Amino acid sequence: MLSPRLAAMVDALPLAPGMRVLEIGCGPGAAARAVAVRVDPGHVLAIDRSATAVRQATAAGATEIAAGRLRVRRVAVEELALEPGEGPYDLAFAVRVGVLDGRHPALEQRALARIAAALRAGGRLVVDGREVPLPRG
């Protein structure tokens, strides 16, 4: 069950069936699960730096994981890299992620570069409900 605030964030995302979506800072995975339903037969990769959050998201998303709609990975966004054979994502989103809130500019720039590298050409990043421009290199 999503909180009203998180439901509004998910509702505002430009989602469509078949999309590949990256959630940054997934916490217990509620948004990732909601997005996985909306992009079916697409795929969601939910990442978090916290082992506890990854365990919670994995347990709560067992149905979506078994169906191939969701994968959960423990990684800090500033260290994110696509794994061998992993395709790029169409959209990335984050809600209340400290590294993307402007307080740590150097770390934020590193994270933005990693996100841009994980997205297909023309892929988009939405942070706290607003689209964020990405570095292109």
Side-chain angles (χ1 to χ4, degrees), residues 4-58:
R5 184 182 67 75
L6 195 53
M9 293 279 202
V10 169
D11 287 344
L13 291 172
L15 300 173
M19 288 181 78
R20 291 178 50 79
V21 179
L22 168 65
E23 182 183 7
I24 301 155
C26 67
R33 292 189 311 276
V35 170
V37 169
R38 294 178 189 210
V39 300
D40 188 32
H43 184 77
V44 176
L45 171 62
I47 66 168
D48 203 293
R49 69 180 66 235
S50 162
T52 299
V54 167
R55 278 193 304 274
Q56 291 172 338
T58 300

Short mmCIF file of all heavy atoms in Angstrom, two decimals, residues 4-58:
data_model
loop_
_atom_site.label_atom_id
_atom_site.label_comp_id
_atom_site.label_asym_id
_atom_site.label_seq_id
_atom_site.Cartn_x
_atom_site.Cartn_y
_atom_site.Cartn_z
N PRO A 4 -0.33 8.33 0.44
CA PRO A 4 -0.87 9.26 -0.57
C PRO A 4 0.22 10.04 -1.30
O PRO A 4 0.14 10.24 -2.51
CB PRO A 4 -1.78 10.19 0.25
CG PRO A 4 -2.19 9.34 1.43
CD PRO A 4 -0.99 8.48 1.73
N ARG A 5 1.26 10.46 -0.58
CA ARG A 5 2.34 11.22 -1.21
C ARG A 5 3.10 10.37 -2.22
O ARG A 5 3.36 10.79 -3.35
CB ARG A 5 3.30 11.75 -0.14
CG ARG A 5 4.41 12.63 -0.71
CD ARG A 5 5.37 13.11 0.37
NE ARG A 5 6.16 12.04 0.94
CZ ARG A 5 7.20 11.45 0.35
NH1 ARG A 5 7.57 11.83 -0.85
NH2 ARG A 5 7.87 10.49 0.94
N LEU A 6 3.42 9.13 -1.86
CA LEU A 6 4.14 8.25 -2.76
C LEU A 6 3.26 7.83 -3.94
O LEU A 6 3.73 7.75 -5.08
CB LEU A 6 4.66 7.02 -2.01
CG LEU A 6 5.72 6.18 -2.72
CD1 LEU A 6 6.89 7.02 -3.19
CD2 LEU A 6 6.18 5.07 -1.80
N ALA A 7 1.99 7.62 -3.69
CA ALA A 7 1.05 7.30 -4.78
C ALA A 7 0.99 8.44 -5.79
O ALA A 7 0.99 8.19 -7.01
CB ALA A 7 -0.34 7.01 -4.22
N ALA A 8 0.98 9.68 -5.32
CA ALA A 8 0.96 10.83 -6.23
C ALA A 8 2.23 10.89 -7.06
O ALA A 8 2.19 11.21 -8.26
CB ALA A 8 0.77 12.12 -5.44
N MET A 9 3.38 10.58 -6.44
CA MET A 9 4.65 10.56 -7.17
C MET A 9 4.62 9.50 -8.27
O MET A 9 5.04 9.76 -9.40
CB MET A 9 5.82 10.29 -6.23
CG MET A 9 6.08 11.37 -5.25
SD MET A 9 7.03 12.69 -6.01
CE MET A 9 7.71 13.42 -4.54
N VAL A 10 4.16 8.30 -7.93
CA VAL A 10 4.10 7.21 -8.92
C VAL A 10 3.11 7.57 -10.02
O VAL A 10 3.39 7.36 -11.20
CB VAL A 10 3.75 5.87 -8.23
CG1 VAL A 10 3.42 4.79 -9.27
CG2 VAL A 10 4.91 5.42 -7.33
N ASP A 11 1.96 8.12 -9.64
CA ASP A 11 0.96 8.50 -10.64
C ASP A 11 1.50 9.52 -11.63
O ASP A 11 1.08 9.55 -12.79
CB ASP A 11 -0.29 9.06 -9.96
CG ASP A 11 -1.13 8.00 -9.28
OD1 ASP A 11 -0.94 6.80 -9.56
OD2 ASP A 11 -1.98 8.38 -8.44
N ALA A 12 2.41 10.38 -11.19
CA ALA A 12 2.94 11.44 -12.05
C ALA A 12 4.06 10.95 -12.98
O ALA A 12 4.44 11.67 -13.90
CB ALA A 12 3.46 12.59 -11.18
N LEU A 13 4.59 9.76 -12.75
CA LEU A 13 5.66 9.27 -13.59
C LEU A 13 5.15 8.96 -15.00
O LEU A 13 4.04 8.44 -15.16
CB LEU A 13 6.28 8.00 -12.99
CG LEU A 13 7.07 8.17 -11.71
CD1 LEU A 13 7.44 6.81 -11.13
CD2 LEU A 13 8.31 9.02 -11.94
N PRO A 14 5.94 9.23 -16.03
CA PRO A 14 5.53 8.94 -17.41
C PRO A 14 5.74 7.47 -17.73
O PRO A 14 6.69 7.09 -18.43
CB PRO A 14 6.44 9.86 -18.24
CG PRO A 14 7.69 9.98 -17.41
CD PRO A 14 7.22 9.94 -15.97
N LEU A 15 4.88 6.62 -17.23
CA LEU A 15 5.02 5.17 -17.36
C LEU A 15 4.16 4.64 -18.50
O LEU A 15 3.10 5.17 -18.79
CB LEU A 15 4.59 4.48 -16.06
CG LEU A 15 5.37 4.86 -14.81
CD1 LEU A 15 4.72 4.24 -13.58
CD2 LEU A 15 6.83 4.46 -14.94
N ALA A 16 4.64 3.55 -19.10
CA ALA A 16 3.89 2.87 -20.15
C ALA A 16 4.27 1.39 -20.12
O ALA A 16 5.39 1.04 -19.72
CB ALA A 16 4.21 3.46 -21.52
N PRO A 17 3.36 0.52 -20.52
CA PRO A 17 3.69 -0.91 -20.57
C PRO A 17 4.94 -1.15 -21.41
O PRO A 17 5.15 -0.51 -22.44
CB PRO A 17 2.45 -1.54 -21.22
CG PRO A 17 1.34 -0.60 -20.86
CD PRO A 17 1.97 0.77 -20.92
N GLY A 18 5.77 -2.08 -20.94
CA GLY A 18 6.97 -2.45 -21.65
C GLY A 18 8.21 -1.65 -21.28
O GLY A 18 9.30 -1.98 -21.73
N MET A 19 8.05 -0.62 -20.49
CA MET A 19 9.21 0.21 -20.11
C MET A 19 10.14 -0.53 -19.16
O MET A 19 9.70 -1.40 -18.41
CB MET A 19 8.75 1.51 -19.42
CG MET A 19 8.12 2.50 -20.33
SD MET A 19 7.63 4.01 -19.43
CE MET A 19 9.23 4.82 -19.28
N ARG A 20 11.39 -0.11 -19.19
CA ARG A 20 12.40 -0.54 -18.22
C ARG A 20 12.65 0.66 -17.31
O ARG A 20 13.00 1.75 -17.80
CB ARG A 20 13.68 -0.98 -18.93
CG ARG A 20 13.47 -2.28 -19.70
CD ARG A 20 14.72 -2.72 -20.45
NE ARG A 20 15.93 -2.74 -19.64
CZ ARG A 20 16.26 -3.72 -18.78
NH1 ARG A 20 15.45 -4.76 -18.61
NH2 ARG A 20 17.39 -3.67 -18.09
N VAL A 21 12.44 0.46 -16.02
CA VAL A 21 12.48 1.56 -15.05
C VAL A 21 13.47 1.24 -13.94
O VAL A 21 13.51 0.11 -13.44
CB VAL A 21 11.08 1.82 -14.45
CG1 VAL A 21 11.11 2.95 -13.43
CG2 VAL A 21 10.08 2.15 -15.57
N LEU A 22 14.22 2.25 -13.54
CA LEU A 22 15.18 2.15 -12.45
C LEU A 22 14.67 3.00 -11.30
O LEU A 22 14.44 4.20 -11.47
CB LEU A 22 16.55 2.68 -12.92
CG LEU A 22 17.61 2.93 -11.87
CD1 LEU A 22 18.04 1.63 -11.20
CD2 LEU A 22 18.81 3.63 -12.51
N GLU A 23 14.47 2.38 -10.13
CA GLU A 23 14.16 3.16 -8.93
C GLU A 23 15.42 3.26 -8.09
O GLU A 23 16.02 2.25 -7.72
CB GLU A 23 13.04 2.57 -8.08
CG GLU A 23 12.78 3.52 -6.90
CD GLU A 23 11.75 3.08 -5.88
OE1 GLU A 23 11.27 1.93 -5.97
OE2 GLU A 23 11.45 3.89 -4.99
N ILE A 24 15.77 4.48 -7.73
CA ILE A 24 16.96 4.77 -6.93
C ILE A 24 16.51 5.01 -5.50
O ILE A 24 15.66 5.86 -5.25
CB ILE A 24 17.67 6.00 -7.49
CG1 ILE A 24 18.07 5.75 -8.94
CG2 ILE A 24 18.87 6.38 -6.62
CD1 ILE A 24 18.21 7.00 -9.76
N GLY A 25 17.09 4.26 -4.56
CA GLY A 25 16.70 4.41 -3.16
C GLY A 25 15.33 3.83 -2.91
O GLY A 25 14.43 4.49 -2.42
N CYS A 26 15.18 2.55 -3.19
CA CYS A 26 13.85 1.92 -3.18
C CYS A 26 13.27 1.69 -1.79
O CYS A 26 12.07 1.44 -1.67
CB CYS A 26 13.89 0.60 -3.94
SG CYS A 26 14.90 -0.69 -3.16
N GLY A 27 14.10 1.74 -0.74
CA GLY A 27 13.56 1.44 0.59
C GLY A 27 12.89 0.08 0.58
O GLY A 27 13.41 -0.86 -0.03
N PRO A 28 11.73 -0.05 1.21
CA PRO A 28 11.07 -1.35 1.27
C PRO A 28 10.39 -1.78 -0.04
O PRO A 28 9.80 -2.85 -0.11
CB PRO A 28 10.05 -1.18 2.40
CG PRO A 28 9.78 0.28 2.44
CD PRO A 28 11.07 0.95 2.05
N GLY A 29 10.47 -0.95 -1.07
CA GLY A 29 10.03 -1.38 -2.39
C GLY A 29 8.59 -1.13 -2.78
O GLY A 29 8.15 -1.61 -3.82
N ALA A 30 7.86 -0.35 -2.02
CA ALA A 30 6.44 -0.12 -2.33
C ALA A 30 6.27 0.54 -3.70
O ALA A 30 5.44 0.11 -4.51
CB ALA A 30 5.78 0.72 -1.25
N ALA A 31 7.04 1.58 -3.98
CA ALA A 31 6.91 2.26 -5.27
C ALA A 31 7.34 1.35 -6.40
O ALA A 31 6.70 1.31 -7.46
CB ALA A 31 7.71 3.56 -5.27
N ALA A 32 8.43 0.62 -6.21
CA ALA A 32 8.92 -0.29 -7.25
C ALA A 32 7.84 -1.32 -7.62
O ALA A 32 7.65 -1.62 -8.81
CB ALA A 32 10.19 -0.99 -6.79
N ARG A 33 7.15 -1.85 -6.63
CA ARG A 33 6.10 -2.83 -6.91
C ARG A 33 4.95 -2.18 -7.68
O ARG A 33 4.43 -2.77 -8.63
CB ARG A 33 5.60 -3.46 -5.61
CG ARG A 33 6.64 -4.34 -4.94
CD ARG A 33 6.08 -5.15 -3.78
NE ARG A 33 5.31 -4.39 -2.81
CZ ARG A 33 5.82 -3.71 -1.79
NH1 ARG A 33 7.14 -3.65 -1.61
NH2 ARG A 33 5.05 -3.08 -0.93
N ALA A 34 4.57 -0.98 -7.29
CA ALA A 34 3.49 -0.28 -7.99
C ALA A 34 3.88 0.02 -9.44
O ALA A 34 3.06 -0.13 -10.35
CB ALA A 34 3.13 1.02 -7.26
N VAL A 35 5.11 0.42 -9.64
CA VAL A 35 5.58 0.71 -11.00
C VAL A 35 5.65 -0.57 -11.82
O VAL A 35 5.27 -0.59 -12.99
CB VAL A 35 6.94 1.44 -10.95
CG1 VAL A 35 7.57 1.52 -12.34
CG2 VAL A 35 6.78 2.84 -10.35
N ALA A 36 6.10 -1.67 -11.22
CA ALA A 36 6.21 -2.95 -11.93
C ALA A 36 4.85 -3.37 -12.50
O ALA A 36 4.78 -3.89 -13.62
CB ALA A 36 6.78 -4.03 -11.02
N VAL A 37 3.79 -3.14 -11.77
CA VAL A 37 2.45 -3.48 -12.25
C VAL A 37 2.09 -2.61 -13.45
O VAL A 37 1.53 -3.09 -14.44
CB VAL A 37 1.41 -3.31 -11.12
CG1 VAL A 37 0.00 -3.38 -11.65
CG2 VAL A 37 1.63 -4.35 -10.03
N ARG A 38 2.46 -1.33 -13.40
CA ARG A 38 2.08 -0.39 -14.47
C ARG A 38 2.89 -0.57 -15.75
O ARG A 38 2.42 -0.19 -16.82
CB ARG A 38 2.20 1.04 -13.97
CG ARG A 38 1.20 1.33 -12.89
CD ARG A 38 1.34 2.71 -12.35
NE ARG A 38 0.52 2.85 -11.18
CZ ARG A 38 -0.03 3.98 -10.80
NH1 ARG A 38 0.17 5.08 -11.49
NH2 ARG A 38 -0.76 4.04 -9.71
N VAL A 39 4.12 -1.09 -15.64
CA VAL A 39 4.94 -1.24 -16.85
C VAL A 39 4.92 -2.67 -17.39
O VAL A 39 5.55 -2.94 -18.40
CB VAL A 39 6.40 -0.75 -16.64
CG1 VAL A 39 6.41 0.71 -16.25
CG2 VAL A 39 7.14 -1.61 -15.64
N ASP A 40 4.21 -3.58 -16.73
CA ASP A 40 4.12 -4.96 -17.20
C ASP A 40 3.73 -4.96 -18.67
O ASP A 40 2.78 -4.27 -19.04
CB ASP A 40 3.09 -5.71 -16.34
CG ASP A 40 3.08 -7.20 -16.62
OD1 ASP A 40 4.14 -7.74 -16.96
OD2 ASP A 40 2.00 -7.81 -16.50
N PRO A 41 4.44 -5.62 -19.53
CA PRO A 41 5.47 -6.63 -19.36
C PRO A 41 6.90 -6.07 -19.29
O PRO A 41 7.85 -6.77 -19.63
CB PRO A 41 5.30 -7.50 -20.59
CG PRO A 41 4.94 -6.50 -21.67
CD PRO A 41 4.10 -5.46 -20.96
N GLY A 42 7.06 -4.86 -18.84
CA GLY A 42 8.38 -4.27 -18.68
C GLY A 42 9.09 -4.79 -17.45
O GLY A 42 8.78 -5.87 -16.95
N HIS A 43 10.04 -3.99 -16.98
CA HIS A 43 10.87 -4.45 -15.87
C HIS A 43 11.30 -3.27 -15.01
O HIS A 43 11.54 -2.18 -15.52
CB HIS A 43 12.11 -5.16 -16.41
CG HIS A 43 12.96 -5.75 -15.35
ND1 HIS A 43 12.64 -6.91 -14.70
CD2 HIS A 43 14.11 -5.33 -14.80
CE1 HIS A 43 13.57 -7.18 -13.80
NE2 HIS A 43 14.47 -6.23 -13.84
N VAL A 44 11.41 -3.51 -13.71
CA VAL A 44 11.89 -2.51 -12.76
C VAL A 44 13.12 -3.06 -12.05
O VAL A 44 13.10 -4.20 -11.56
CB VAL A 44 10.82 -2.14 -11.71
CG1 VAL A 44 11.36 -1.18 -10.67
CG2 VAL A 44 9.58 -1.56 -12.40
N LEU A 45 14.17 -2.25 -12.00
CA LEU A 45 15.32 -2.52 -11.15
C LEU A 45 15.24 -1.54 -10.00
O LEU A 45 15.26 -0.32 -10.21
CB LEU A 45 16.65 -2.34 -11.90
CG LEU A 45 17.90 -2.40 -11.02
CD1 LEU A 45 18.04 -3.77 -10.35
CD2 LEU A 45 19.13 -2.04 -11.82
N ALA A 46 15.13 -2.06 -8.79
CA ALA A 46 15.07 -1.24 -7.59
C ALA A 46 16.41 -1.35 -6.87
O ALA A 46 16.84 -2.46 -6.57
CB ALA A 46 13.93 -1.72 -6.68
N ILE A 47 17.06 -0.20 -6.64
CA ILE A 47 18.35 -0.24 -5.96
C ILE A 47 18.30 0.54 -4.66
O ILE A 47 17.52 1.49 -4.51
CB ILE A 47 19.51 0.28 -6.85
CG1 ILE A 47 19.35 1.78 -7.14
CG2 ILE A 47 19.61 -0.53 -8.13
CD1 ILE A 47 20.59 2.41 -7.76
N ASP A 48 19.13 0.12 -3.73
CA ASP A 48 19.28 0.84 -2.47
C ASP A 48 20.65 0.49 -1.91
O ASP A 48 21.14 -0.62 -2.11
CB ASP A 48 18.19 0.46 -1.47
CG ASP A 48 17.95 1.53 -0.42
OD1 ASP A 48 18.87 1.77 0.40
OD2 ASP A 48 16.88 2.15 -0.45
N ARG A 49 21.25 1.43 -1.18
CA ARG A 49 22.56 1.17 -0.57
C ARG A 49 22.41 0.38 0.73
O ARG A 49 23.37 -0.18 1.23
CB ARG A 49 23.32 2.48 -0.34
CG ARG A 49 22.73 3.37 0.72
CD ARG A 49 23.53 4.67 0.93
NE ARG A 49 23.47 5.52 -0.23
CZ ARG A 49 24.54 5.99 -0.88
NH1 ARG A 49 25.75 5.73 -0.47
NH2 ARG A 49 24.39 6.73 -1.95
N SER A 50 21.22 0.32 1.28
CA SER A 50 20.98 -0.34 2.56
C SER A 50 20.65 -1.82 2.39
O SER A 50 19.70 -2.18 1.68
CB SER A 50 19.81 0.35 3.27
OG SER A 50 19.28 -0.46 4.28
N ALA A 51 21.40 -2.68 3.09
CA ALA A 51 21.12 -4.12 3.06
C ALA A 51 19.74 -4.41 3.63
O ALA A 51 19.02 -5.28 3.14
CB ALA A 51 22.19 -4.89 3.83
N THR A 52 19.35 -3.67 4.66
CA THR A 52 18.03 -3.85 5.27
C THR A 52 16.93 -3.54 4.26
O THR A 52 15.97 -4.30 4.11
CB THR A 52 17.88 -2.98 6.52
OG1 THR A 52 18.88 -3.37 7.47
CG2 THR A 52 16.50 -3.13 7.15
N ALA A 53 17.06 -2.41 3.55
CA ALA A 53 16.06 -2.04 2.56
C ALA A 53 15.98 -3.08 1.45
O ALA A 53 14.88 -3.46 1.02
CB ALA A 53 16.39 -0.66 1.97
N VAL A 54 17.11 -3.57 1.01
CA VAL A 54 17.12 -4.58 -0.06
C VAL A 54 16.44 -5.86 0.41
O VAL A 54 15.66 -6.46 -0.33
CB VAL A 54 18.57 -4.83 -0.55
CG1 VAL A 54 18.66 -6.08 -1.41
CG2 VAL A 54 19.07 -3.61 -1.30
N ARG A 55 16.71 -6.28 1.65
CA ARG A 55 16.01 -7.47 2.19
C ARG A 55 14.51 -7.24 2.23
O ARG A 55 13.72 -8.11 1.84
CB ARG A 55 16.53 -7.80 3.59
CG ARG A 55 17.81 -8.60 3.60
CD ARG A 55 18.14 -9.17 4.98
NE ARG A 55 18.20 -8.17 6.04
CZ ARG A 55 19.28 -7.46 6.34
NH1 ARG A 55 20.40 -7.62 5.66
NH2 ARG A 55 19.24 -6.58 7.32
N GLN A 56 14.08 -6.07 2.70
CA GLN A 56 12.65 -5.77 2.80
C GLN A 56 12.01 -5.73 1.41
O GLN A 56 10.93 -6.30 1.19
CB GLN A 56 12.43 -4.43 3.50
CG GLN A 56 12.77 -4.45 4.96
CD GLN A 56 12.74 -3.06 5.59
OE1 GLN A 56 12.85 -2.03 4.90
NE2 GLN A 56 12.60 -3.02 6.90
N ALA A 57 12.66 -5.05 0.47
CA ALA A 57 12.10 -4.95 -0.88
C ALA A 57 12.04 -6.30 -1.57
O ALA A 57 11.08 -6.60 -2.28
CB ALA A 57 12.93 -3.96 -1.71
N THR A 58 13.05 -7.12 -1.34
CA THR A 58 13.06 -8.47 -1.93
C THR A 58 11.93 -9.32 -1.37
O THR A 58 11.23 -10.01 -2.12
CB THR A 58 14.44 -9.13 -1.70
OG1 THR A 58 15.45 -8.32 -2.32
CG2 THR A 58 14.48 -10.53 -2.28
#
